[in-house]
Amino acid sequence: NRRQRQMCIRDRGEAVRIMTGAPIPGGADSVIRVEDTDGEEEAGQVRIVSDRDIGRHVRAAGQDMRAGTLLLPAGRTITPGVTGVLAAAGRSSVSVHRRPRVAILSTGDELRTAEAYEDVRRGHGVPESNGPMLASMVRSIGAEPLSLGIAPDDPAALAASLEAGSDADVLVTIGGASMGEADLVKRVLDEMGFELDFWRVRMRPGSPISFGWLVRDGGRQAVFGLPGNPSSAFVTFELFVRPHVLRLAGHAAVRRRTVPCIAGERFDTPAELTYFQRVHVSAEEQGLMARLTGPQLSGLVRGLAHADGLAVVGPERPSVEPGDAV
């Protein structure tokens, strides 16, 4: 209380009663727990029965932060811990970057949402898993997904769907990833003034990824063309789209942490490509052990739910044997 803050210990052997968390009276250098005293049996006198707290339980001013110290550099993600630092520094608000908006467009007459899943059962369509999956990936990094639905294999309908995402910071198309002249997505994008930067990457899964720009009223819009196979869409979003969106959001760290692991089984990587194998990682006696989540075909989706990471295998390695480092 106010009276305690004004008190000051002037001579050796003096004491002041305070509560936990109270300001330390001037001149004090130790806080003795009440259970180590006689509880002031005689009013105005206290007897200390243990010296275990000499010099303890005093938190010095400036121990955590000092005036002029940079607490948080630009680009830091506002985690719960960062929020605690801001509150401790007396900041009720802080300048942040706007959440990027990511428009997601799946393409193809064959796609069926959950509402039309009976078509999938009858063999008249394939599940539309990519759109919901990528929207979830966008949300997981603090950005806002804008679902453009499914565009049929019709130029006019496809163009209308692409225009519906013109206000987004990033446009992601899924399927029809070929950038050949006969490809419908490429043809419609070209008619809209698409500027292609690259197409195809020496990787698996996800080789036929494309990237370029559309000129919009507010400037240029980044356009990623992802393959339609679920594992390919997942991996290419993880490696290309995610870092781009995080950078737009102002993050300084945009790449996943990499850790050395031991292969718990054989990985076949025969082509001269960089492979990104979906793996489950477990802490074992030998270290972190990476095992495949199952078959690595790009059209499969189940293994993604069990993956803790992607094992990166370079083009110079035709296989990874059990016990090898990855």
Side-chain angles (χ1 to χ4, degrees):
N1 60 32
R2 185 177 178 184
R3 181 169 174 269
Q4 287 173 336
R5 288 198 297 270
Q6 293 174 338
M7 285 187 173
C8 183
I9 294 177
R10 303 185 184 282
D11 297 317
R12 183 179 179 84
E14 288 186 350
V16 172
R17 183 190 295 271
I18 66 171
M19 299 297 115
T20 301
I24 301 298
D29 62 4
S30 306
V31 176
I32 308 299
R33 282 168 278 193
V34 68
E35 56 265 34
D36 288 342
T37 73
D38 64 357
E40 200 177 346
E41 292 179 355
E42 180 182 346
Q45 298 288 324
V46 63
R47 185 167 65 88
I48 297 171
V49 298
S50 173
D51 63 359
R52 61 177 174 168
D53 285 339
I54 291 177
R56 299 184 64 202
H57 311 310
V58 176
R59 296 177 180 175
Q63 193 176 38
D64 194 17
M65 311 175 195
R66 293 182 180 272
T69 300
L70 177 65
L71 298 181
L72 300 165
R76 277 294 300 273
T77 305
I78 299 185
T79 61
V82 169
T83 302
V85 171
L86 293 172
R91 297 296 299 271
S92 60
S93 64
V94 65
S95 296
V96 297
H97 287 261
R98 177 178 60 80
R99 293 178 187 269
R101 297 184 74 213
V102 181
I104 302 169
L105 177 64
S106 299
T107 64
D109 290 336
E110 72 281 5
L111 297 178
R112 298 293 185 272
T113 61
E115 293 76 16
Y117 199 77
E118 194 56 39
D119 283 357
V120 178
R121 297 183 191 279
R122 295 197 300 261
H124 297 161
V126 297
E128 158 48 345
S129 59
N130 287 328
M133 177 177 70
L134 296 192
S136 180
M137 296 176 80
V138 169
R139 291 190 195 95
S140 73
I141 57 176
E144 297 180 5
L146 171 62
S147 176
L148 302 179
I150 301 172
D153 294 325
D154 173 77
L158 177 57
S161 296
L162 292 170
E163 284 294 345
S166 61
D167 291 336
D169 300 289
V170 177
L171 174 62
V172 177
T173 65
I174 313 166
S178 172
M179 285 290 111
E181 290 305 317
D183 181 71
L184 183 60
V185 175
K186 170 68 161 52
R187 213 166 59 216
V188 173
L189 282 173
D190 282 345
E191 291 171 359
M192 299 171 65
F194 182 61
E195 302 169 3
L196 178 66
D197 266 14
F198 67 82
W199 172 54
R200 298 191 72 84
V201 176
R202 295 186 60 79
M203 60 182 286
R204 183 170 291 171
S207 173
I209 179 179
S210 65
F211 173 75
W213 304 89
L214 277 176
V215 177
R216 301 292 197 181
D217 290 341
R220 294 202 305 171
Q221 180 186 52
V223 181
F224 291 88
L226 306 189
N229 282 317
S231 289
S232 298
F234 181 96
V235 170
T236 50
F237 184 97
E238 178 71 28
L239 295 177
F240 295 92
V241 185
R242 183 180 184 273
H244 181 85
V245 174
L246 285 174
R247 187 68 78 196
L248 284 180
H251 292 265
V254 299
R255 296 288 180 186
R256 296 281 193 185
R257 183 166 63 102
T258 59
V259 295
C261 293
I262 301 167
E265 60 184 292
R266 177 184 171 88
F267 300 176
D268 286 317
T269 54
E272 292 186 358
L273 305 170
T274 300
Y275 283 76
F276 296 89
Q277 308 282 72
R278 285 82 73 199
V279 294
H280 169 68
V281 180
S282 58
E284 301 184 15
E285 187 175 344
Q286 309 95 307
L288 291 178
M289 192 71 66
R291 294 183 175 87
L292 300 176
T293 58
Q296 297 293 297
L297 298 173
S298 60
L300 305 182
V301 68
R302 183 181 173 192
L304 296 173
H306 304 289
D308 300 308
L310 299 172
V312 185
V313 183
E316 72 285 353
R317 301 174 70 177
S319 68
V320 174
E321 301 300 329
D324 286 354
V326 291

